[in-house]
Amino acid sequence: MKRAERTVSDSKLVPGLEIRSLFPFFTEGPAGCYLDSAATTQKPAVVLDTLRNVLVHHNANVHRGAYRLSAEASELYDQARTKIARMIGAKSERSIVFVRGATEAINLVAHSSEQLFRPGDTILLTLLEHHSNIVPWQLLAKRRGLSVAFTDITDDGQIDLNDFREKLKTLKPKMVAVTQLANSLGTVTPIAELVSLAKASGAQVLVDGAQGVTHLGVNVESLGCDYYVFSGHKVYGPTGIGVLYGRAERLEALEPFQGGGDMISYVSTEGSGWAEVPQRFEAGTPAFPEAIALGAAVDFLARFDRDDILAHEAALVSEAYEMLSEEEGVTLYGPGAHSGKQLAVVSFSIDSVHPHDFATIADTHNIQVRAGNHCAMPTLRRLGVQATVRLSFGLYSCSADLSAVRSAIREARKLFK
């Protein structure tokens, strides 16, 4: 861990260009104007060093070996769970289940809560959801004869609260699943109000925090949701690791998602018994190096003041809107175009230039942007578009990235006019 210790001191960090020296992507890798952090974030050296350190110095299966190496790995793994519980305001680390990512976390809840639903019950989503917060519920609905309903969004990409209230009243959903921050538009949802309304109607609530936990943070106890999910690779950690938070009584009521080692209390030829929460949901050898490295990412993110993160990303969104609104042929999508709440993401289109063509041209300038439907087809369909260009920001994003995008837009318009 010597390199990580040299790279990051105990002082507070400020988002922006200056911290790029802490990310090997910018110092040793292809660098460039990386504007696809909503898809996956770049990793600080302390995370990469932690991952390597575990694999070299602590590589033994956790919670299984009766030898020192296994005990050390187990302790680091358990410490990571505690760090994550603290980060999201959970009362106990037992409410934290390690999974492969937010997608698996939602699938886990959809599968393991199946016995709680009866044919004809309703699951309420919104038109802002990522496909990962739609498809698992549709599969559950198909298995159990349920209905999936969607709260409408406004023309500027915000949740229609009147429609949400009406659907809660008329449909009486058993489950409400909603995003905290929309990956396609950067819409900041009124998540506290949504959770409060849904709980008052008698529904359980799952919050997709894949984007929100990184940019907004969360206190799950104050929020009052039943479940909260996010992916490690969107919070400056590794891929292949994610988190499901569940209220204790909710997790206790769920059946295991998968069967195997370490999730059982006993196995016999007649049957098996389940381990306590959260182990009952973590069958097989866990991704313990990734979990430990995610703990390092949590520590790294804690080095920033949350207000500084919000101010930095709000300033970038504002600057991007001002710049793009001045470019001929550019159409902006999302709440920011109408003075609404928007953070970390800017979506737009360019007349006569398909988003995929623009992404290809931008790539020749060493600019990485996302083009397509962003795994949010219902959102874009509601807004009357098939695809957009998406800029998404991280701690390391800066104004120079936006200037490069403007140059690429002007070149693309010349090529396709």
Side-chain angles (χ1 to χ4, degrees):
M1 299 290 284
K2 289 183 178 179
R3 177 183 169 191
E5 290 167 358
R6 288 199 307 268
T7 305
V8 181
S9 67
D10 292 331
S11 60
K12 279 289 183 182
L13 299 173
V14 178
L17 180 64
E18 293 76 13
I19 69 161
R20 288 190 177 185
S21 63
L22 305 180
F23 290 80
F25 172 83
F26 295 104
T27 59
E28 303 172 27
C33 299
Y34 185 76
L35 291 167
D36 199 19
S37 290
T40 194
T41 53
Q42 296 304 326
K43 321 306 174 193
V46 67
V47 169
L48 300 175
D49 290 346
T50 298
L51 191 59
R52 184 180 188 279
N53 183 68
V54 173
L55 291 171
V56 172
H57 299 290
H58 305 284
N59 188 33
N61 214 329
V62 297
H63 298 160
R64 287 165 172 80
Y67 49 89
R68 180 183 56 80
L69 195 63
S70 176
E72 290 174 352
S74 299
E75 183 178 1
L76 291 170
Y77 183 62
D78 293 340
Q79 287 174 358
R81 197 189 304 272
T82 300
K83 289 177 183 181
I84 290 161
R86 188 182 305 121
M87 180 185 76
I88 66 172
K91 287 181 180 178
S92 170
E93 64 274 9
R94 294 186 65 244
S95 293
I96 304 302
V97 179
F98 282 125
V99 289
R100 288 185 301 165
T103 298
E104 182 171 270
I106 297 170
N107 275 278
L108 189 160
V109 175
H111 276 266
S112 296
S113 64
E114 186 168 330
Q115 76 279 5
L116 304 178
F117 293 89
R118 298 292 178 266
D121 285 345
T122 297
I123 299 165
L124 181 60
L125 313 177
T126 83
L127 288 179
L128 279 181
E129 303 311 311
H130 189 281
H131 295 166
S132 292
N133 202 23
I134 296 176
V135 179
W137 304 114
Q138 291 175 331
L139 291 171
L140 171 60
K142 186 176 181 180
R143 292 194 304 270
R144 295 290 290 168
L146 313 179
S147 297
V148 178
F150 290 84
T151 297
D152 198 7
I153 58 175
T154 60
D155 291 342
D156 61 347
Q158 300 190 72
I159 289 178
D160 186 333
L161 279 172
N162 289 331
D163 188 54
F164 185 71
R165 292 189 185 95
E166 181 63 22
K167 284 188 166 69
L168 288 176
K169 180 180 178 181
T170 58
L171 299 178
K172 302 293 185 184
K174 281 285 186 70
M175 177 71 73
V176 172
V178 61
T179 185
Q180 182 184 11
L181 174 63
N183 77 300
S184 56
L185 300 174
T187 303
V188 179
T189 65
I191 195 63
E193 184 175 5
L194 296 172
V195 171
S196 178
L197 289 169
K199 296 294 290 182
S201 76
Q204 292 189 27
V205 183
L206 180 145
V207 176
D208 177 359
Q211 303 296 332
V213 72
T214 308
H215 304 286
L216 295 165
V218 68
N219 184 302
V220 290
E221 298 294 343
S222 297
L223 185 59
C225 58
D226 296 284
Y227 306 102
Y228 188 93
V229 308
F230 67 93
S231 298
H233 71 103
K234 296 182 190 293
V235 69
Y236 307 99
T239 56
I241 189 70
V243 171
L244 164 64
Y245 158 81
R247 289 173 57 192
E249 63 270 28
R250 297 304 185 202
L251 292 180
E252 293 287 352
L254 299 184
E255 289 294 308
F257 178 40
Q258 296 176 320
D262 209 40
M263 52 74 64
I264 47 82
S265 59
Y266 71 89
V267 175
S268 73
T269 55
E270 287 75 36
S272 303
W274 314 138
E276 296 295 318
V277 169
Q279 276 70 34
R280 74 172 60 170
F281 302 112
E282 296 180 4
T285 298
F288 65 91
E290 289 78 6
I292 295 166
L294 176 55
V298 167
D299 289 340
F300 178 78
L301 193 58
R303 303 273 321 289
F304 295 85
D305 187 282
R306 181 63 63 179
D307 289 339
D308 287 345
I309 295 175
L310 290 171
H312 172 68
E313 293 175 347
L316 285 172
V317 170
S318 177
E319 184 178 350
Y321 261 91
E322 183 177 354
M323 179 195 78
L324 292 169
S325 64
E326 294 173 352
E327 291 300 310
E328 185 179 354
V330 171
T331 301
L332 287 154
Y333 303 95
H338 304 270
S339 302
K341 279 190 175 182
Q342 184 169 334
L343 188 67
V345 169
V346 174
S347 285
F348 65 94
S349 61
I350 310 167
D351 65 358
S352 77
V353 184
H354 192 279
H356 289 111
D357 291 327
F358 175 74
T360 300
I361 292 169
D363 193 44
T364 66
H365 291 255
N366 204 11
I367 303 168
Q368 296 86 33
V369 300
R370 178 78 177 267
N373 59 55
H374 319 301
C375 294
M377 289 185 184
T379 305
L380 297 195
R381 189 177 298 117
R382 168 64 177 80
L383 299 181
V385 292
Q386 291 186 331
T388 67
V389 177
R390 185 186 71 183
L391 314 179
S392 55
F393 308 125
L395 296 169
Y396 35 66
S397 301
C398 64
S399 296
D401 296 329
L402 299 178
S403 297
V405 169
R406 178 170 53 198
S407 297
I409 289 173
R410 292 175 178 176
E411 178 179 327
R413 283 184 53 78
K414 287 180 182 178
L415 290 172
F416 286 90
K417 67 179 180 180

